[in-house]
Amino acid sequence: MHIEVLVEDASGEKLLEALLPKLFGAQGEPHTWRTHAYKGIGRIPKNLNAGGDPAKRILLDQLPKLLRGYGKTPGIDAVVVVLDSDRRDCADFLVELKALAASSNAGPNTLFRIAIEEMEAWYFGDRQALTMAYPKAKVDVLQRYTQDSVCGTWELLADAIYPGGSVAIKKAGWPLPGQIKCEWAERIGPLLEPERNVSPSFGKLRDGLRRLVSVGS
């Protein structure tokens, strides 16, 4: 089975590259996949037949066109789209995404998975991995987090593990936030254990991906 995996930014891509072999097995044994990072989530276009501007590489803006294209491409068995919910209502967002996929007609089997509020929630879901990667993490800050809550997730993680916390990152401005998130993915991602993770949204990712390849086997 071959799967195309779409994610909204480079840090998400790095995280998934560490996770997918733990869920699918080694690349090519028997499943294959490719990950594609975009430059932001964007929003679902009102006109689903619009082409969008491919140069901007904004995921939701491009998604209708992408799904139609994948549906016409031989050898693609499924598409997985991994997104942050940010401040959106997750249930409503998922309804919109499924409607978008249905409108693509000949599009491939498409699985949407949503992190609540951000993918950094999945690091909090495996505290052992997080503290192995960052042994000096501030335990009192980590304990303030309620799993899969909308609370400024990446900022709270930064307050726990980055010198100066989220204030220092925001003060420095772009590109530091993106660079720091990529570092977290590279350091924590390989240590995450899917069965140990207590994040409900991570559990939906894990179980959904395993079902996907099980059905396609």
Side-chain angles (χ1 to χ4, degrees):
M1 184 177 199
H2 178 74
I3 305 160
E4 295 287 301
V5 183
L6 313 181
V7 65
E8 63 186 78
D9 60 22
S11 64
E13 181 181 40
K14 290 181 182 297
L15 173 57
L16 289 171
E17 285 175 347
L19 283 172
L20 292 178
K22 298 181 182 184
L23 300 172
F24 292 157
Q27 179 80 257
E29 299 179 11
H31 307 294
T32 60
W33 62 89
R34 290 187 301 182
T35 57
H36 304 271
Y38 285 76
K39 295 182 178 180
I41 186 170
R43 59 184 63 214
I44 297 172
K46 292 181 179 179
N47 179 5
L48 296 181
N49 293 315
D53 183 354
K56 292 184 178 179
R57 289 191 59 78
I58 304 299
L59 181 49
L60 289 181
D61 294 14
Q62 297 293 317
L63 193 55
K65 180 181 178 181
L66 288 168
L67 293 182
R68 289 194 297 270
Y70 283 135
K72 298 174 184 176
T73 305
I76 294 176
D77 301 298
V79 176
V80 175
V81 185
V82 184
L83 303 159
D84 292 345
S85 68
D86 298 316
R87 299 279 168 171
R88 300 174 182 85
D89 178 276
C90 185
D92 291 345
F93 189 30
L94 190 56
V95 168
E96 292 182 71
L97 291 168
K98 288 182 176 180
L100 184 159
S103 75
S104 66
N105 297 322
N109 181 18
T110 303
L111 177 70
F112 295 102
R113 283 298 180 260
I114 301 171
I116 312 290
E117 144 195 40
E118 295 156 340
M119 287 186 198
E120 284 75 23
W122 297 345
Y123 304 143
F124 279 107
D126 187 346
R127 297 290 175 89
Q128 184 173 330
L130 197 164
T131 53
M132 285 173 64
Y134 291 93
K136 296 181 180 180
K138 297 175 181 176
V139 176
D140 60 322
V141 178
L142 296 179
Q143 290 176 340
R144 296 207 305 263
Y145 179 71
T146 299
Q147 191 62 56
D148 282 27
S149 61
V150 178
C151 61
T153 305
W154 82 262
E155 290 94 339
L156 191 61
L157 182 60
D159 291 342
I161 64 178
Y162 186 79
S166 60
V167 171
I169 296 173
K170 289 179 177 179
K171 185 176 181 179
W174 198 259
L176 185 60
Q179 292 170 346
I180 293 299
K181 291 182 179 184
C182 284
E183 178 191 302
W184 295 343
E186 290 169 347
R187 290 182 61 172
I188 306 172
L191 301 175
L192 292 176
E193 289 297 333
E195 303 306 327
R196 191 170 61 203
N197 203 301
V198 300
S199 162
S201 61
F202 181 87
K204 290 182 179 180
L205 173 81
R206 176 194 63 217
D207 298 345
L209 292 179
R210 285 179 171 165
R211 280 195 301 270
L212 180 68
V213 295
S214 175
V215 170
S217 298

